[in-house]
């Protein structure tokens, strides 16, 4: 008895899905690509690094500017290259060049971003100079890494009490020290 076209289509799709999963590939709309190697190394939250080659790797930059509002605070803008922010309901899978940004203030987790902008309220920052770091994660919560280092950018911001300022320092998109 001949196979029906629908059954053949399902069989082909199932085979492709299985092969793509075994090959460690993702699909970014331009076809399958390698999504790196998961390393034993982890970040402070225990999330493993996902090592990718430097060529074509995700990159990030961060810009921090004081907010003009009387309540103070800072406007944070994230700039990415070779990377797209996934929507909130994205599957927990690693896909080449996709995921979210984790913001850290002085090494402590501040927020998970799925958009390029964030407002840091003035009340969250004490007087002094602080480090705001933006790090890229895949949707499976692995850390994008190049040469064993996380893909991240850091900017300094200074809170001086009633008046807040931010130095004109902008981390380059290199994402690597």
């Amino acid at each position: 008895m001949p196979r029906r076209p629908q059954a053949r289509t399902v069989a082909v799709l199932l085979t492709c899905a299985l092969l793509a999963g075994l090959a460690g590939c993702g699909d970014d709309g331009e076809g399958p690509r390698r999504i790196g190697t998961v390393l034993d190394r982890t970040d402070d939250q225990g999330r493993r690094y996902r090592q990718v080659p430097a060529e074509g790797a995700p990159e990030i930059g961060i810009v921090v500017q004081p907010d003009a509002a009387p309540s103070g605070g800072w406007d944070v803008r994230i700039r990415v290259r070779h990377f797209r922010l996934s929507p909130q309901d994205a599957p927990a899978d690693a896909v080449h060049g996709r995921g979210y940004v984790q913001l850290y203030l002085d090494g402590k987790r501040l927020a998970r971003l799925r958009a390029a902008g964030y407002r840091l309220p003035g009340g969250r920052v004490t007087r002094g100079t602080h480090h705001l770091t933006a790090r890229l994660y895949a949707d499976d919560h692995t850390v994008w890494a190049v040469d064993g280092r996380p893909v991240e950018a850091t900017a300094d911001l200074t809170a001086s009490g009633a008046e807040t300022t931010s130095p004109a320092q902008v981390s380059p998109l290199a994402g690597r020290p």
Side-chain angles (χ1 to χ4, degrees):
M1 182 171 175
R3 286 186 135 188
R4 294 185 313 188
Q6 288 178 330
R8 180 177 292 164
T9 301
V10 169
V12 168
L13 289 175
L14 204 53
T15 302
C16 288
L18 179 62
L19 290 175
L22 292 174
C25 297
D27 185 347
D28 66 358
E30 297 174 6
R33 290 190 180 175
R34 293 229 14 102
I35 54 172
T37 303
V38 177
L39 306 177
D40 288 333
R41 187 170 180 189
T42 63
D43 69 1
D44 293 340
Q45 283 82 40
R47 295 185 176 133
R48 294 175 71 177
Y49 285 18
R50 179 175 296 282
Q51 177 79 23
V52 293
E55 186 178 332
E59 299 176 19
I60 188 166
I62 183 171
V63 177
V64 182
Q65 295 181 327
D67 191 346
S71 61
W74 292 266
D75 289 322
V76 179
R77 298 294 299 162
I78 303 299
R79 295 184 179 178
V80 293
R81 190 176 337 173
H82 306 296
F83 191 81
R84 285 187 266 179
L85 294 165
S86 298
Q88 185 66 33
D89 59 350
D93 298 324
V95 176
H96 180 77
R98 288 194 187 169
Y100 61 91
V101 175
Q102 197 79 268
L103 272 184
Y104 296 89
L105 182 62
D106 296 329
K108 294 184 177 145
R109 186 172 173 259
L110 181 65
R112 179 182 296 176
L113 304 181
R114 294 196 181 262
Y118 178 76
R119 184 177 184 291
L120 176 58
R124 300 279 314 253
V125 181
T126 60
R127 182 183 175 113
T129 300
H130 301 274
H131 306 288
L132 187 65
T133 300
R135 183 178 298 155
L136 295 181
Y137 287 80
D139 289 316
D140 69 348
H141 309 295
T142 54
V143 181
W144 289 108
V146 174
D147 296 328
R149 293 184 225 152
V151 177
E152 62 184 25
T154 300
D156 292 339
L157 60 93
T158 302
S160 59
E163 179 183 319
T164 59
T165 61
S166 175
Q169 293 184 4
V170 177
S171 295
L173 276 176
R176 299 177 290 282

